[in-house]
C-alpha cells in the first residue's frame, strides 16, 4: 500500500522524458488492477490514470500502454464494480478516474479504441447507466444518482468511440470539452479524412472509421445500446 501510494504521488507530474522508466512499471500496475485489497486497487488505478493523462498527446505511447492489457482490465473493473452493487471496491473518484482513463485511451490510441469497441463497451456503459442493464425498470434510473462529473466521463467515453462528424454537419463551440483536438484537426477537405496519407492526427481517426466500416455491426450495437 505504501509503495503504491508513493508511486501514485510520483505520477502526479511526470516529465515528458520519463516515459521509458514509467512504461517498465505499466505491466505490474495493470496486474494490480486484479488485486483483492481496495487500497492497492485505488492507488494502482490512480497511477495508470495519471500515466495515461501524461502521455495523452502521444498516440504511440498510449498504444504501448494499451498493449499491456490495460483497457481490458479497466473495462472489466468498471463493469464488475457497477454490477457488484455500486462500486464496492472502488471509491467514486477512482471509478470516475478509470472511466476517464478509458476515454484517454479511446481518444489517442487506435488500439485502445478498437479494444473497447470489440469488448462491447457500449453494453457496459448501458449497464452502468441503467443499473445492470434493466432498462425496462420503472424505478428512477441509477444514472440520476451518480455524480455529474461521472456521468460526464461516461458520455465523454461514448463520444470518443464514435467516428468524427462529417464536416459541415454541425458546428460545436470550441469551448466545449467534447471537441477533442484530433477531431477538429481534420484537413480542410472533408473527403481526405479517410485517406491514409497524412498529417499526424489522421491515422487515429481513419483507424477507427476503418474498423467501423469493416465491422458495421459494432456501430449498430453501439446505437442499440446507447441511442435507443
Amino acid at each position: 500500500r505504501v509503495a503504491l501510494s508513493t508511486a501514485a504521488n510520483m505520477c502526479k507530474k511526470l516529465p515528458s522524458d520519463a516515459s521509458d522508466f514509467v512504461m517498465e512499471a505499466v505491466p505490474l500496475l495493470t496486474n494490480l488492477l486484479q488485486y483483492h485489497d481496495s487500497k492497492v486497487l485505488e492507488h494502482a488505478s490512480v497511477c495508470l490514470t495519471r500515466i495515461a493523462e501524461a502521455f495523452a498527446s502521444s498516440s504511440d505511447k498510449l498504444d504501448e500502454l494499451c498493449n499491456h492489457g490495460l483497457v481490458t482490465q479497466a473495462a472489466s473493473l468498471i463493469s464488475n464494480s457497477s454490477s457488484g452493487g455500486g462500486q464496492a471496491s472502488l471509491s467514486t473518484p477512482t471509478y470516475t478516474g478509470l472511466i476517464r482513463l478509458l476515454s484517454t485511451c479511446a481518444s489517442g490510441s487506435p488500439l485502445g479504441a478498437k479494444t473497447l469497441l470489440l469488448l462491447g463497451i457500449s453494453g457496459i456503459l448501458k449497464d452502468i447507466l441503467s443499473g445492470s442493464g434493466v432498462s425496462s425498470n420503472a424505478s428512477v434510473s441509477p444514472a440520476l444518482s451518480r455524480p455529474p462529473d461521472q456521468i460526464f466521463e461516461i458520455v465523454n467515453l461514448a463520444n470518443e468511440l464514435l467516428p468524427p462528424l462529417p464536416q459541415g454537419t454541425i458546428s460545436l463551440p470550441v469551448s466545449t470539452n467534447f471537441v477533442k483536438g484530433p477531431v477538429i484537426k481534420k484537413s480542410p477537405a472533408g473527403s481526405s479524412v479517410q485517406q491514409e496519407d497524412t498529417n499526424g492526427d489522421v491515422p487515429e481517426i481513419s483507424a477507427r472509421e476503418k474498423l467501423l466500416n469493416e465491422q458495421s455491426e459494432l456501430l449498430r450495437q453501439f446505437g442499440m445500446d446507447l441511442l435507443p
Side-chain angles (χ1 to χ4, degrees):
R1 285 183 179 184
V2 177
L4 272 172
S5 174
T6 306
N9 287 333
M10 289 168 69
C11 288
K12 269 184 184 169
K13 289 188 177 179
L14 290 169
S16 56
D17 59 353
S19 62
D20 291 345
F21 303 106
V22 173
M23 288 298 177
E24 288 179 15
V26 169
L28 177 60
L29 291 169
T30 301
N31 285 336
L32 286 172
L33 291 180
Q34 304 174 71
Y35 207 74
H36 55 83
D37 183 273
S38 62
K39 285 292 181 188
V40 169
L41 195 58
E42 293 261 336
H43 291 314
S45 300
V46 170
C47 282
L48 290 163
T49 301
R50 288 174 175 171
I51 289 169
E53 286 172 355
F55 301 138
S57 60
S58 170
S59 179
D60 289 345
K61 289 191 176 80
L62 285 179
D63 268 351
E64 197 176 336
L65 271 178
C66 297
N67 258 331
H68 296 298
L70 172 59
V71 168
T72 307
Q73 286 295 346
S76 169
L77 209 49
I78 64 169
S79 174
N80 293 340
S81 296
S82 163
S83 59
Q87 299 160 219
S89 56
L90 296 173
S91 69
T92 300
T94 302
Y95 188 83
T96 304
L98 279 172
I99 297 171
R100 191 167 60 252
L101 165 66
L102 292 176
S103 293
T104 304
C105 292
S107 172
S109 163
L111 176 61
K114 180 176 182 178
T115 304
L116 282 166
L117 286 167
L118 292 174
L119 275 175
I121 189 66
S122 57
I124 293 173
L125 295 182
K126 174 190 173 188
D127 288 352
I128 292 171
L129 291 172
S130 62
S132 303
V134 188
S135 52
S136 58
N137 195 335
S139 62
V140 176
S141 165
L144 298 179
S145 62
R146 290 180 178 274
D149 61 324
Q150 192 172 102
I151 296 296
F152 173 81
E153 294 298 349
I154 291 169
V155 177
N156 194 36
L157 172 54
N159 173 63
E160 290 293 1
L161 290 163
L162 290 170
L165 292 167
Q167 285 207 324
T169 306
I170 187 171
S171 297
L172 293 173
V174 181
S175 59
T176 174
N177 288 358
F178 285 114
V179 182
K180 297 288 180 185
V183 177
I184 55 176
K185 285 183 188 168
K186 292 186 285 192
S187 59
S191 61
S192 65
V193 173
Q194 298 265 7
Q195 291 172 4
E196 291 181 14
D197 76 22
T198 220
N199 68 45
D201 296 306
V202 177
E204 85 176 67
I205 293 173
S206 58
R208 186 172 321 166
E209 286 187 307
K210 187 179 175 192
L211 175 70
L212 292 173
N213 282 333
E214 289 174 352
Q215 302 190 39
S216 56
E217 72 280 2
L218 291 176
L219 191 57
R220 182 171 168 274
Q221 187 61 48
F222 196 99
M224 287 172 66
D225 286 335
L226 296 177
L227 308 168

